[in-house]
Amino acid sequence: MTHKHFIIIGGVAGGMSAATRLRRLDEDARITVLERGGHVSFANCGLPYYLGGVIEERESLLLQTPASLGSRFNLDVRVRTEAISIDRDAQTVLVRDLVTGEETTERYDALVLSPGATPVRPPIPGGERMLTLRDIDDVDAAMAELTVAPRTALVIGAGFIGLEMVENLVHRGLAVTLVELGDQVLPPLDPEMAGPVAERLREAGVDVRLGTQVTELGADTAVLSDGTVVAAEFVLASIGVRPDTSLATAAGLAIGERGGIRVDDQLRTSDPHIYAIGDAVEKTDAISGEQRLVALAGLANRHGRLVADAISGKTIRVRDALGTAVVGVMGLTIAATGWNEKLLRRIGRDIRVFHTHPASHTGYYPGAESMALKLVVDANTDEILGAQGVGGDGVDKRIDVIATAMTGGITASELADLELAYAPQYSSAKDPVNMLGYVALNAAEGLTPAIQWHELEAELDAGATLVDVRTPGEVADGAILGSINIPLDELRARRDELPEGRLIVHCKVGQRGHTAVRLLAQLGREAVNLDGGYLTWRAGATARTAVPELVN
Amino acid sequence: MTHKHFIIIGGVAGGMSAATRLRRLDEDARITVLERGGHVSFANCGLPYYLGGVIEERESLLLQTPASLGSRFNLDVRVRTEAISIDRDAQTVLVRDLVTGEETTERYDALVLSPGATPVRPPIPGGERMLTLRDIDDVDAAMAELTVAPRTALVIGAGFIGLEMVENLVHRGLAVTLVELGDQVLPPLDPEMAGPVAERLREAGVDVRLGTQVTELGADTAVLSDGTVVAAEFVLASIGVRPDTSLATAAGLAIGERGGIRVDDQLRTSDPHIYAIGDAVEKTDAISGEQRLVALAGLANRHGRLVADAISGKTIRVRDALGTAVVGVMGLTIAATGWNEKLLRRIGRDIRVFHTHPASHTGYYPGAESMALKLVVDANTDEILGAQGVGGDGVDKRIDVIATAMTGGITASELADLELAYAPQYSSAKDPVNMLGYVALNAAEGLTPAIQWHELEAELDAGATLVDVRTPGEVADGAILGSINIPLDELRARRDELPEGRLIVHCKVGQRGHTAVRLLAQLGREAVNLDGGYLTWRAGATARTAVPELVN
């Protein structure tokens, strides 16, 4: 009998996971990996850090070589080799060696498409010199430019990868301009969470330009949509990626509404002998159940293994995608999972939103760092729909815990019950995730009605009184215009000073505001808390430009 | 109408959470907190670090004062005040002011017992000068001794708090002897996980004596059970705590089999007007469903809030206890949740056990630290029963994620599907928790049978061959006696060199061993993997004493 032949097109994260798993499941099969680029299994998430000099050796990026994979897993790994076309009826791939130009035809029993996604390039005059960052060839090209020691750089796009590039270019000593079409950095976040990130970038000397596009590139300058000309010797575009569906489309495979290859729950394309994984493929969103493009290495690796199981005849279960992600920017850690508030409000979902500002660990143990956390919850079911975190140490831990809770069907209120590891240098007896649960519980029980930072203006216009329950010392450092100050510890005694009507209460982070609202409600007053307190409000106010409403 | 009177006995973690929550729920109630010690709401988990000088100011430990709580929450907080007895029929407490000696009787509508637990003191000759560490008075006494600048210290008990004390005494420059009755440090861990901790303590100069007791204390020495006399100017006992049930017992309240106050699912004692929370109370174990004593600040705080809800007429749901804990020792982080292997084997549970040795983040990004992770799983249901981690950065994160997964009912195999935040400086595309899931999946599918480090000797005695698939360079740095070495990448070609019969395969951490077992099984050989590889085996071998089986 002849052994089966599996062909995998694309040899990076998902493709190589599929190939090695197939070998572990079937020692006898012939397994061929075709990679258009010059390298397989490289550290694509490390590319910005190699450019920045944080990763010093280029070799560190090359996790495996065709030879090492060949000997360990008996794989036929061919780099600089392109799959030109697929003949589905014949179950063959036309393969071209990009070095020799030689073409061969390979028959497959199962074919895995793992072509990834291509960086989008804004089509502007002079745009040819714009770099993108997808593979080792790209990083070599970028490094060649950087070795000439440019002094100025322009990064287009303030998403996760764009900000990693900004950080690394600053680390190399370049003066960096960051241009973003949207009105905030990090579009997956809500504006009040992204605000402090833009602030940190500006503190680090980055020229952050929001709501702006690049309209033209000169030899060492760029023209922006507001007419400004900025110095830009090194130019990198990071405005997103597009699924590489060329081969799939040419083969007549079904493409989904979001433009990715469509697969069923067994990762099969519309052809039962062709499977697809990774950034080129649409995934099912865990919150909406809709198809979605999510370009994440973790999912590519996981699906690589799963597709090998499916090809081997197992029934697999592909979990819906949350889209958990993290990025480090100038000492800040920013992480998120699930959906954000702005998207959920846009589709009209009935949600509750909570902001907290906990410390990474107990305040009495040295080195605690502050963070801002945000939880978005279905108002009817208490289901966690999304979370965001920005701060120092421990942000990634809390988002990982919340992502796990979401996968486990733990509701927002039940976060209070999670038993998380506590010692003074690691957390607090009430971990920040527990505290989110407490806040969610209070809201679910109707104990403390709250409004969001972006709802304050309308409340004040409608005649509500804003009561600042912080201490006079805190107020002196910055307050919201129009508020009256009665410290929480005096509120019980000074209740008669409060004007008639609806009261909006706020403190620094929301916790004293909660106690104040409970007190006022029991005194018969209509009172609501400003969720997240002064810090969240201020972050929202600074997210786009300046802070006009500040007292000082 | 008269307002209700709630009395809370014990004003630290749980008691004060109950008092403040009661106030937020009922502005009109009279709320009295009785605390025998001199302080309420202090940072008891910070006490060792204050002694070590890591926390510099004593005031940092005092989170709240009676006055601050009084003004904010309108609480009658009485320190140095003891509840002498309870008259359940009359619903009164006899209260004594420990300063003036004055006694009063207070009537309650609901009473909350939160007396905590008392350190156990070994009853040995000379034991009067032994210190324990429970409250601010204890820490003051210990600090008074340390200020005299002793040069030698003895810590009795190598549990979590004992090791925190060792670290802090070393940090102060004392020569420390650690005496532990059991044959390993950190009894909640399994021996191969605790082994590296003892090794680290010894590297830091600590005289670690396992399987040993203190039989007598001299003026500045201690006699050990093996006859040794060790210098011991400063002596601290940390061999566990006993629930403080004196008041409850005297009042005739039901005490459970484990010696803690028995409560129902609404945190009520056997008297419907008396509730109890915190370290004095038995909790329901999340794994076994049995009653158990768990002294953890997080549970005390959580139950403090819940008991206030119960008193206010809500039906509460108290979640069963996992017993998640973490400790930092000489730069190592050690964390655990759920049950360990040795307890589960003792009760005869059918389990699978997995050890991994991942890096905290990608190897190509600087600063990655290694860790050992262990997962214990029900062999029939794939339910996660417990996890342990020892290492550097990120151990607490992984244990928190696993504890959350356990609470959410996520099985071991499903850990592979968790979508955790990944960027090169935070994790790997396959996070260490995902990797545990992959290993569990392989085991659940029967792909890679494995044995544990403690089963190896019996296997070799029974005639199995141990095949080391590491490189010769790795072997030269230490190997298991009697193994034959065929590197993984040569195994396919050199298969004929393998002797007949059952093969035990091992590599450094288990991953290459898995690939080798898959290969050998497909070649028709009976092969099993040594779970956790050389590193886990070596940690087990060194856990108690030396490593006799090492080649060099």
Side-chain angles (χ1 to χ4, degrees):
Chain A
M1 103 185 209
T2 53
H3 297 306
K4 286 189 173 166
H5 185 199
F6 303 129
I7 299 179
I8 293 134
I9 297 176
V12 192
M16 206 47 76
S17 293
T20 54
R21 174 74 172 174
L22 277 168
R23 171 59 68 222
R24 286 192 300 267
L25 295 175
D26 187 347
E27 174 64 19
D28 298 323
R30 201 180 138 210
I31 304 174
T32 304
V33 179
L34 307 174
E35 169 56 43
R36 186 166 41 190
H39 301 273
V40 289
S41 194
F42 61 88
N44 38 3
C45 299
L47 302 185
Y49 297 93
Y50 170 64
L51 291 181
V54 177
I55 298 171
E56 294 179 5
E57 300 298 329
R58 181 174 177 278
E59 285 62 42
S60 309
L61 300 174
L62 307 175
L63 305 177
Q64 300 281 353
T65 65
S68 68
L69 289 161
S71 65
R72 176 161 304 175
F73 293 101
N74 189 22
L75 305 176
D76 180 8
V77 181
R78 309 186 201 169
V79 295
R80 306 256 179 243
T81 303
E82 186 166 6
I84 301 296
S85 61
I86 302 166
D87 182 334
R88 290 166 50 189
D89 293 329
Q91 286 182 226
T92 59
V93 179
L94 178 63
V95 178
R96 179 184 300 156
D97 183 318
L98 295 178
V99 178
T100 66
E102 189 185 349
E103 292 191 355
T104 51
T105 297
E106 295 280 358
R107 194 182 181 286
Y108 59 80
D109 293 281
L111 177 66
V112 178
L113 301 180
S114 181
T118 318
V120 176
R121 302 170 62 93
I124 54 169
E128 309 75 41
R129 74 179 184 93
M130 192 184 301
L131 300 172
T132 56
L133 204 56
R134 185 201 187 194
D135 59 22
I136 298 286
D137 292 344
D138 292 343
V139 91
D140 287 342
M143 195 54 121
E145 280 207 20
L146 288 171
T147 308
V148 182
R151 286 159 305 169
T152 58
L154 169 68
V155 174
I156 308 172
F160 281 60
I161 309 299
L163 294 197
E164 286 184 342
M165 277 308 306
V166 169
E167 163 159 302
N168 279 287
L169 292 168
V170 170
H171 189 251
R172 279 191 79 96
L174 280 78
V176 181
T177 300
L178 172 64
V179 170
E180 163 62 43
L181 177 61
D183 57 2
Q184 62 169 77
V185 299
L186 291 174
L189 267 63
D190 288 312
E192 81 284 9
M193 303 301 284
V197 184
E199 210 174 322
R200 179 68 67 97
L201 286 165
R202 289 186 171 117
E203 285 164 12
V206 178
D207 182 3
V208 181
R209 290 167 179 268
L210 304 175
T212 306
Q213 278 180 282
V214 177
T215 54
E216 190 176 340
L217 285 186
D220 54 7
T221 57
V223 183
L224 309 187
S225 50
D226 62 3
T228 318
V229 176
V230 296
E233 294 163 78
F234 180 92
V235 181
L236 189 116
S238 179
I239 60 171
V241 294
R242 186 180 291 127
D244 186 343
T245 55
S246 48
L247 195 62
T249 304
L253 298 175
I255 304 295
E257 282 177 24
R258 301 302 176 96
I261 301 171
R262 181 183 292 165
V263 292
D264 66 12
D265 62 359
Q266 300 300 299
L267 298 173
R268 260 183 320 233
T269 66
S270 50
D271 181 316
H273 297 102
I274 305 179
Y275 298 74
I277 54 172
D279 296 355
V281 171
E282 293 187 355
K283 283 125 189 145
T284 304
D285 184 273
I287 304 298
S288 68
E290 294 173 351
Q291 293 303 295
R292 176 183 170 193
L293 292 169
V294 194
L296 288 169
L299 290 171
N301 277 299
R302 178 74 185 114
H303 295 175
R305 179 179 161 125
L306 283 169
V307 82
D309 288 353
I311 290 170
S312 301
K314 294 187 185 159
T315 299
I316 59 170
R317 198 190 54 153
V318 179
R319 189 172 278 280
D320 297 346
L322 282 174
T324 310
V326 63
V327 65
V329 181
M330 306 291 174
L332 283 178
T333 294
I334 304 108
T337 187
W339 280 45
N340 59 35
E341 178 183 356
K342 58 190 175 185
L343 284 177
L344 287 162
R345 292 210 190 272
R346 198 176 300 158
I347 64 167
R349 187 89 171 237
D350 190 8
I351 57 175
R352 282 195 289 261
V353 177
F354 312 111
H355 295 83
T356 59
H357 295 85
S360 55
H361 62 251
T362 50
Y364 59 80
Y365 191 95
E369 299 185 315
S370 64
M371 69 181 85
L373 289 178
K374 175 172 188 172
L375 193 72
V376 186
V377 171
D378 185 292
N380 301 305
T381 65
D382 202 33
E383 178 193 355
I384 305 169
L385 302 175
Q388 298 163 49
V390 177
D393 180 46
V395 167
D396 54 327
K397 173 162 82 168
R398 274 64 188 214
I399 294 300
D400 275 359
V401 167
I402 295 171
T404 304
M406 291 170 76
T407 300
I410 290 169
T411 65
S413 299
E414 288 170 345
L415 293 179
D417 284 316
L418 289 182
E419 228 188 281
L420 303 169
Y422 163 58
Q425 65 273 53
Y426 298 101
S427 177
S428 296
K430 294 172 187 163
D431 185 87
V433 176
N434 296 140
M435 285 302 299
L436 282 173
Y438 284 116
V439 175
L441 257 175
N442 287 329
E445 292 170 347
L447 277 181
T448 300
I451 62 163
Q452 291 300 311
W453 63 276
H454 52 75
E455 297 169 327
L456 178 62
E457 199 174 333
E459 285 276 2
L460 298 182
D461 286 350
T465 300
L466 183 61
V467 184
D468 184 343
V469 300
R470 297 177 302 162
T471 63
E474 292 175 278
V475 173
D477 286 340
I480 306 176
L481 204 64
S483 59
I484 62 172
N485 178 229
I486 303 179
L488 173 59
D489 291 351
E490 301 171 18
L491 191 60
R492 197 173 268 107
R494 292 172 60 187
R495 64 183 90 166
D496 295 340
E497 296 178 28
L498 293 166
E500 295 294 304
R502 182 173 166 91
L503 303 172
I504 314 292
V505 177
H506 90 86
C507 62
K508 183 178 173 189
V509 299
Q511 205 163 6
R512 281 171 290 173
H514 160 57
T515 298
V517 165
R518 291 303 310 141
L519 171 60
L520 292 168
Q522 295 193 72
L523 296 174
R525 297 299 308 261
E526 182 192 355
V528 302
N529 196 16
L530 179 62
D531 178 68
Y534 178 74
L535 288 185
T536 295
W537 175 83
R538 188 180 178 286
T542 56
R544 291 176 177 96
T545 49
V547 195
E549 299 98 324
L550 288 183
V551 166
N552 55 355
Chain B
M1 97 183 211
T2 55
H3 296 307
K4 286 189 174 164
H5 186 198
F6 304 128
I7 299 180
I8 292 131
I9 297 176
V12 192
M16 205 48 76
S17 292
T20 54
R21 174 74 172 175
L22 277 168
R23 172 58 71 224
R24 286 194 297 267
L25 295 175
D26 187 348
E27 173 64 17
D28 297 323
R30 202 181 136 207
I31 304 174
T32 304
V33 179
L34 307 175
E35 169 56 42
R36 188 166 41 189
H39 301 273
V40 289
S41 193
F42 61 89
N44 38 5
C45 298
L47 302 184
Y49 298 93
Y50 170 64
L51 291 181
V54 177
I55 297 172
E56 295 179 4
E57 301 296 331
R58 181 174 178 278
E59 284 63 41
S60 308
L61 301 173
L62 308 174
L63 305 178
Q64 298 281 352
T65 65
S68 68
L69 289 161
S71 64
R72 176 162 302 176
F73 293 102
N74 190 22
L75 306 175
D76 180 6
V77 181
R78 306 184 202 170
V79 295
R80 304 255 180 248
T81 303
E82 186 165 8
I84 301 297
S85 61
I86 301 167
D87 183 335
R88 289 166 48 188
D89 293 331
Q91 287 182 223
T92 60
V93 179
L94 179 62
V95 178
R96 181 184 298 154
D97 183 319
L98 295 177
V99 178
T100 65
E102 189 184 349
E103 292 189 354
T104 52
T105 297
E106 294 280 359
R107 195 180 180 288
Y108 60 79
D109 293 280
L111 177 66
V112 178
L113 301 181
S114 182
T118 319
V120 177
R121 301 169 63 93
I124 54 169
E128 310 75 40
R129 74 178 183 92
M130 194 184 299
L131 300 172
T132 56
L133 204 56
R134 185 200 189 195
D135 59 21
I136 297 286
D137 292 346
D138 292 342
V139 92
D140 287 344
M143 196 53 122
E145 279 207 21
L146 289 172
T147 308
V148 181
R151 286 159 305 168
T152 58
L154 170 68
V155 174
I156 307 171
F160 282 59
I161 310 297
L163 293 198
E164 286 184 343
M165 277 308 305
V166 168
E167 162 159 302
N168 279 286
L169 292 167
V170 169
H171 189 250
R172 279 191 79 95
L174 280 77
V176 181
T177 301
L178 172 64
V179 170
E180 163 62 42
L181 179 60
D183 58 3
Q184 63 168 82
V185 301
L186 292 174
L189 265 64
D190 289 312
E192 82 284 8
M193 302 303 284
V197 184
E199 209 176 323
R200 181 66 68 97
L201 286 165
R202 289 186 172 120
E203 286 165 9
V206 178
D207 183 3
V208 180
R209 290 166 178 268
L210 304 175
T212 306
Q213 280 180 283
V214 178
T215 54
E216 191 176 342
L217 285 185
D220 53 8
T221 57
V223 184
L224 307 186
S225 50
D226 61 4
T228 319
V229 176
V230 295
E233 295 164 77
F234 180 92
V235 181
L236 188 116
S238 180
I239 59 171
V241 295
R242 187 179 289 131
D244 186 344
T245 55
S246 48
L247 194 63
T249 304
L253 298 175
I255 303 296
E257 282 176 24
R258 301 300 177 98
I261 301 171
R262 181 184 292 167
V263 293
D264 66 11
D265 63 358
Q266 300 300 298
L267 297 174
R268 260 182 320 232
T269 67
S270 51
D271 181 318
H273 297 101
I274 305 179
Y275 298 75
I277 55 172
D279 295 354
V281 172
E282 293 185 354
K283 282 124 190 146
T284 305
D285 184 274
I287 304 297
S288 68
E290 294 173 351
Q291 293 302 292
R292 174 182 173 194
L293 292 169
V294 195
L296 287 170
L299 290 171
N301 276 300
R302 177 75 186 111
H303 295 175
R305 179 178 160 127
L306 283 169
V307 81
D309 287 352
I311 290 170
S312 301
K314 292 185 185 159
T315 300
I316 60 170
R317 196 190 56 153
V318 179
R319 188 172 277 279
D320 297 346
L322 283 174
T324 311
V326 63
V327 66
V329 181
M330 307 292 175
L332 282 180
T333 294
I334 304 108
T337 187
W339 281 45
N340 58 36
E341 178 184 356
K342 58 189 176 186
L343 284 177
L344 287 162
R345 294 212 189 270
R346 197 175 300 158
I347 64 168
R349 186 90 171 238
D350 189 10
I351 58 175
R352 280 196 290 260
V353 176
F354 312 111
H355 295 84
T356 58
H357 295 85
S360 54
H361 61 250
T362 48
Y364 60 80
Y365 190 96
E369 300 185 315
S370 65
M371 69 179 86
L373 289 178
K374 176 172 187 171
L375 193 72
V376 188
V377 172
D378 185 291
N380 301 304
T381 65
D382 202 34
E383 178 192 357
I384 305 169
L385 302 174
Q388 299 163 48
V390 177
D393 180 46
V395 167
D396 55 326
K397 173 162 84 170
R398 275 63 188 214
I399 295 299
D400 275 359
V401 166
I402 295 170
T404 303
M406 291 170 76
T407 301
I410 291 169
T411 65
S413 299
E414 289 170 344
L415 294 180
D417 284 316
L418 289 182
E419 228 189 282
L420 303 170
Y422 164 57
Q425 64 274 54
Y426 298 101
S427 178
S428 296
K430 294 172 186 163
D431 186 88
V433 176
N434 296 140
M435 285 302 298
L436 283 173
Y438 284 116
V439 176
L441 256 175
N442 286 329
E445 293 170 347
L447 276 182
T448 300
I451 62 164
Q452 290 300 309
W453 61 276
H454 52 75
E455 296 169 327
L456 178 61
E457 200 174 331
E459 286 274 3
L460 298 183
D461 287 349
T465 300
L466 183 61
V467 184
D468 185 342
V469 300
R470 297 177 301 160
T471 63
E474 292 176 279
V475 173
D477 287 340
I480 305 175
L481 204 62
S483 58
I484 62 173
N485 178 228
I486 302 180
L488 172 58
D489 291 351
E490 302 170 16
L491 192 59
R492 195 173 270 107
R494 292 172 59 187
R495 65 182 90 165
D496 295 339
E497 296 177 30
L498 293 166
E500 297 293 304
R502 181 171 165 92
L503 303 171
I504 315 290
V505 176
H506 88 85
C507 61
K508 183 178 175 189
V509 299
Q511 206 163 5
R512 280 171 291 173
H514 159 57
T515 297
V517 167
R518 291 303 309 140
L519 171 60
L520 293 168
Q522 296 194 70
L523 298 174
R525 297 299 308 260
E526 182 192 356
V528 301
N529 195 17
L530 180 62
D531 178 68
Y534 178 75
L535 288 185
T536 295
W537 175 84
R538 189 181 180 286
T542 55
R544 292 174 179 96
T545 50
V547 194
E549 298 100 325
L550 286 184
V551 166
N552 55 354

